[in-house]
Amino acid sequence: MQRRTVVFLWLTIVTGLVSAQDAAPAVTPIPATLGQEAPFPYRWKFPAPSPEELASRRAALAAAVGNGVAITVSAPPPELSSGSRYKPDHDSWYFTGVDSDPCVWVMTAKDGKIDSEKLFLPTFNKSYELWNGRRWCAGPESAAATGIPESKIVALSGGNFGGANSMKPVEDHLRALMTSNPAVWYLEGAEGRAEGGGLSIDTPDRGGMVKKFLRSIAPEKTKIRGLGGLSGKLRSVKSPYEIELIRRAAWITGEGFHDAMRHARPGMWEFEFQGFMERAFTSRGATGVPYYPIAASGPNACILHYTDSRRQMQDGDVVLCDIAAEYGYYAADITRSFPVNGKFTPRQKQVYEAVLAGQEAAAAALKPGASLMSLDAACRDAMIAAGLKSAELHPHGLGHHVGLDVHDPGAMVFTPGMVITIEPGAYIRKESLGIRIEDLYLVTETGAECLSKMIPKTVAEIEALVGSAWRK
Ligand code: GLY
Ligand code: MN
Ligand code: MN
């Protein structure tokens, strides 16, 4: 063999070995749109709801109101020292597509159609933007994005850095509506504390403030009701756009589970595991987490809302991990339970497979017309048939709707377009064993689709994945 050929072959083998060792873990490529930032003036860092979709949501609300007025009010900004980013009020976001403060939307409905609407937004303010960045302001860009004509957008004056926007135009509009339109009034967040007599953007309890203000100006016989019942009904059936965002939240969550479970090992701290998942979320464009993460090992898995993440995982532990990503304000909610040493004991396997059988029975029963109660009955029967005692079965609900809120509003009886979790569990304190399996399901015309099916779940899949980053 020629010397040059030998060198070439040797190099090829060495290069092959090195690249096999250095090979990045197999992760799905990140879809280009996941990190995309929409152009100015939008604040969105993810695909936005179209103005047409926003308009159809508002029309659907008018149909639900019939005759009356609906009001949504933006959430106040968090304290700078709270460590939280701004999160819009979900009803305000759902109907307006505006995710900054202040934003008030007032719509009157007549015979189920929109009769009038006004969107109150701040005027552009240079000093505000210098300190805080972009926010939605009165103007043509906001009209184009929300689908509300510019003629119906009212500018709120003031709002220099350190100064509040004036709510006077909102107050005047509501007073005028009260005299001419003494119908049923709906408003966002009807209960709670209220401060002061008028409307102020400095009041943290917006729902309470609006309710108190309306009560002070409305005729005695005017009914003031919370918006939640009506908006919840609309929000519970997801549009294709919303389903796409939930799919992406589930996909990002799946990437986190793959990454974290590959690295899991006895001796790992619960917070380390949580860190693997959160790193995967952030690096794949998640916009946050929709609920406080649960990484609970051994006995901690029997504490349903365990959030300390301060225990070192021991050989022989099962770890219950209920951690998910948020994408575009939409939640995922997914749980996996796995042996930290990569191998279930026969007893752990028996309990795990019983919980999985329960979830599969519930998922098989999920279709339009089914209810959480009927699913739970099917689930419990399957778990008992698989050898669990009723005292060991989940003391919590079997599932819930998921959307803008992790516990989204929604009906008990399912229709196509709803997204729910199915999350049975078995909690056996005296064995320090807690197992929950939670997945996201979209109700379809004929049954259901699991939106988190890419995340390993069978005993064989889990045992192959756990520790695969370090185990020989
Ligand atoms: N992670 C909250 C829940 O499962 O409902
Ligand atoms: Mn859940
Ligand atoms: Mn959960």
Side-chain angles (χ1 to χ4, degrees), residues 119-192:
L119 183 67
F120 298 85
L121 291 173
T123 35
F124 177 82
N125 186 288
K126 217 168 161 185
S127 73
Y128 178 92
E129 304 247 334
L130 169 67
W131 287 89
N132 305 297
R134 298 167 196 168
R135 66 175 165 175
W136 293 88
C137 294
E141 297 90 353
S142 294
T146 61
I148 297 175
E150 209 185 334
S151 58
K152 298 180 180 173
I153 299 183
V154 180
L156 302 171
S157 59
N160 293 341
F161 185 77
N165 283 93
S166 163
M167 288 290 118
K168 181 108 186 1
V170 184
E171 290 188 14
D172 290 347
H173 183 54
L174 289 175
R175 280 182 212 282
L177 286 180
M178 283 293 167
T179 54
S180 62
N181 200 342
V184 181
W185 294 74
Y186 293 88
L187 70 147
E188 130 68 18
E191 300 309 323

Side-chain angles (χ1 to χ4, degrees), residues 256 259-260 268-282 293 295 309 323:
D259 219 23
M268 182 184 241
W269 293 85
E270 291 167 341
F271 55 75
E272 273 186 273
F273 186 89
Q274 181 180 332
F276 266 105
M277 293 206 63
E278 290 179 349
R279 178 185 175 281
F281 295 172
T282 307
S309 291
I323 303 185

Side-chain angles (χ1 to χ4, degrees), residues 80-312:
L80 205 54
S81 56
S82 71
S84 310
R85 67 178 165 82
Y86 186 72
K87 214 171 176 169
D89 170 86
H90 285 160
D91 281 336
S92 174
W93 164 252
Y94 185 80
F95 293 113
T96 67
V98 170
D99 59 352
S100 60
D101 184 56
C103 168
V104 181
W105 175 62
V106 182
M107 182 267 291
T108 62
K110 200 168 172 191
D111 300 332
K113 299 252 184 305
I114 295 180
D115 191 40
S116 75
E117 64 180 328
K118 276 193 197 297
L119 183 67
F120 298 85
L121 291 173
T123 35
F124 177 82
N125 186 288
K126 217 168 161 185
S127 73
Y128 178 92
E129 304 247 334
L130 169 67
W131 287 89
N132 305 297
R134 298 167 196 168
R135 66 175 165 175
W136 293 88
C137 294
E141 297 90 353
S142 294
T146 61
I148 297 175
E150 209 185 334
S151 58
K152 298 180 180 173
I153 299 183
V154 180
L156 302 171
S157 59
N160 293 341
F161 185 77
N165 283 93
S166 163
M167 288 290 118
K168 181 108 186 1
V170 184
E171 290 188 14
D172 290 347
H173 183 54
L174 289 175
R175 280 182 212 282
L177 286 180
M178 283 293 167
T179 54
S180 62
N181 200 342
V184 181
W185 294 74
Y186 293 88
L187 70 147
E188 130 68 18
E191 300 309 323
R193 213 160 35 88
E195 289 157 16
L199 297 173
S200 150
I201 71 164
D202 289 333
T203 306
D205 176 13
R206 297 284 170 84
M209 170 186 71
V210 173
K211 186 179 184 186
K212 187 175 174 187
F213 177 71
L214 287 175
R215 198 62 284 169
S216 73
I217 61 169
E220 188 79 19
K221 64 179 189 317
T222 302
K223 292 194 190 99
I224 299 172
R225 297 179 178 167
L227 184 66
L230 296 184
S231 70
K233 233 180 232 162
L234 302 179
R235 280 173 45 188
S236 70
V237 177
K238 271 68 182 177
S239 70
Y241 158 78
E242 294 179 288
I243 292 165
E244 184 58 23
L245 294 190
I246 298 172
R247 263 185 213 288
R248 290 178 187 209
W251 175 80
I252 295 172
T253 305
E255 293 289 284
F257 270 113
H258 274 101
D259 219 23
M261 285 162 79
R262 285 178 65 249
H263 289 91
R265 56 180 163 71
M268 182 184 241
W269 293 85
E270 291 167 341
F271 55 75
E272 273 186 273
F273 186 89
Q274 181 180 332
F276 266 105
M277 293 206 63
E278 290 179 349
R279 178 185 175 281
F281 295 172
T282 307
S283 62
R284 286 168 179 80
T287 48
V289 288
Y291 57 91
Y292 201 84
I294 298 173
S297 62
N300 292 340
C302 295
I303 303 169
L304 297 178
H305 285 166
Y306 174 77
T307 52
D308 291 349
S309 291
R310 280 287 174 280
R311 181 174 175 275
Q312 200 169 17

Side-chain angles (χ1 to χ4, degrees), residues 376-420:
D376 199 26
C379 176
R380 284 173 190 273
D381 286 351
M383 290 165 88
I384 298 281
L388 292 181
K389 300 192 185 82
S390 38
E392 296 166 343
L393 308 190
H394 50 272
H396 50 73
L398 178 69
H400 51 86
H401 291 254
V402 176
L404 287 167
D405 285 307
V406 62
H407 296 152
D408 222 32
M412 290 295 281
V413 177
F414 303 126
T415 55
M418 292 181 169
V419 175
I420 64 154

Side-chain angles (χ1 to χ4, degrees), residues 282-369:
T282 307
S283 62
R284 286 168 179 80
T287 48
V289 288
Y291 57 91
Y292 201 84
I294 298 173
S297 62
N300 292 340
C302 295
I303 303 169
L304 297 178
H305 285 166
Y306 174 77
T307 52
D308 291 349
S309 291
R310 280 287 174 280
R311 181 174 175 275
Q312 200 169 17
M313 301 172 181
Q314 305 297 309
D315 198 1
D317 280 352
V318 165
V319 182
L320 183 160
C321 177
D322 185 348
I323 303 185
E326 176 205 278
Y327 183 71
Y329 300 134
Y330 283 81
D333 185 9
I334 297 163
T335 306
R336 286 291 178 269
S337 304
F338 61 91
V340 70
N341 63 13
K343 187 85 190 143
F344 285 100
T345 65
R347 169 64 174 159
Q348 289 168 350
K349 180 168 182 267
Q350 181 215 346
V351 176
Y352 186 90
E353 290 192 320
V355 176
L356 187 55
Q359 195 201 40
E360 283 167 351
L366 178 55
K367 58 178 186 222

